[in-house]
Amino acid sequence: MTAIAVEAPILVAQTRVVRVRELGESYLRLVLAGPDLSRWSRDVVDPGTVRDAYIKVFVPPPGGRGIVPDPLAIREWLTLPEQERGWMRTYTVRRADSVELDGEHVPALTVDVVVHPGADEGPGSGWARSVRPGDTVHLAGPGRGHAPWAAWAPGAAGRVVCAGDETAAPALLSIAGELAAEPRGTREVRIVLELPTPADVRALSAEAPETVTLLSRSGERGHALVHHLGGVLGVGQGCVESVLDGRRPAEREWQTATTVSAGDPYVFLAGEAGLVRAMRRLAVDGAGIPKGAVSFMGYWRRGAAES
Ligand SMILES: Cc1cc2nc3c(=O)[nH]c(=O)nc-3n(C[C@H](O)[C@H](O)[C@H](O)COP(=O)(O)OP(=O)(O)OC[C@H]3O[C@@H](n4cnc5c(N)ncnc54)[C@H](O)[C@@H]3O)c2cc1C
């Protein structure tokens, strides 16, 4: 059979959970594999290509199978009752490789899911805690011949600064791995992550190159991260306090957008939406980094479920 060079832009793959393991205190690492993934974008399923590529996971309702959507009719699927259809949640591909499944070598994607049990637990976190090897899970991603869903775009930046919370760890550790493989001196790299507990820091430090600083949360969510980022960007304490208070720092006016050119800095920020806004203000208003050289992604929003 001849392989098709270009598939549909969005494909739904049926996969099987092949491994589940705890990673630190806050993550479950799931490996999801299946032959359908070989029709996906090579930039997602080929080893060593993942960076911050993300996929959609169709989370079934508890005790049910959910309804697998037609990728061309996701809007209609979203109008169905959640308890029937289930939910769609977004996770980053931490690693792409292959495994043997039913005597066949098939692509396998690893995702690290943050579990946040308690009153605020969402379907994604609950599903990750209940899923077992052998379970079926449907995923959506870009078809072969299409670009990965990702935001990483450092161009020829001479200095790269990345910061994020625990949900951004899969993306930032993949990015750190890719940058570590560049010839020494290509760029100056600083990557900072705030993780919920010291056990998470210990677990992820085994995978973090020396450019990565892992902070254990202390005090309010995001404060350790913003303080550390302020130091990396060389902005004053007053500026850090302003952005943590939800204000725009007074030192500098808003910058106009530019594109990243050789030698410029590039800043990549991801995590809880309010925290990302504070870090963007620190970088753009505080440190004067051109707005066009900052990628920022609110990965989740405090008090709001992913739609
Ligand atoms: C591009 C992209 C990549 C992402 N990659 C990852 C990833 O690799 N791993 C990962 O774990 N997440 C990742 N996320 C974030 C993840 O999609 C959200 O956290 C999502 O809301 C989790 O769904 P849920 O069903 O558990 O909670 P929801 O039903 O969406 O939310 C229920 C409640 O939980 C709160 N909540 C949601 N997430 C968290 C959290 N992490 N900690 C504490 N409270 C939370 C919400 O504010 C809400 O009050 C990514 C998001 C995006 C957009």
Side-chain angles (χ1 to χ4, degrees), residues 137-160:
V137 53
H138 289 86
L139 313 175
R144 180 140 299 195
H146 296 276
W149 304 338
W152 175 242
R159 181 175 183 227
V160 170

Side-chain angles (χ1 to χ4, degrees), residues 14 32 39 52 56 58 77 79 85 125 130 133 137 141 143 156-157 174 187 189 195 237 249 286 293:
Q14 178 174 320
L32 314 168
R39 294 177 53 207
D52 65 323
K56 297 285 181 180
F58 295 101
W77 180 84
T79 64
R85 62 157 154 90
S125 165
S130 69
V137 53
S174 293
R187 13 180 162 225
V189 179
L195 306 177
Q237 191 60 20

Side-chain angles (χ1 to χ4, degrees), residues 27 52 54 56 89-93 111-116 120-126 166-168 170-171 221 297-307:
Y27 294 91
D52 65 323
Y54 65 87
K56 297 285 181 180
R89 290 293 180 262
T90 312
Y91 295 103
T92 303
V93 177
V111 291
D112 292 346
V113 177
V114 175
V115 287
H116 50 103
D120 226 13
E121 175 152 63
S125 165
E166 60 269 39
T167 60
R221 169 184 279 284
M297 283 78 49
Y299 273 9
W300 62 285
R301 189 176 294 278
R302 223 169 173 173
E306 186 177 347
S307 57

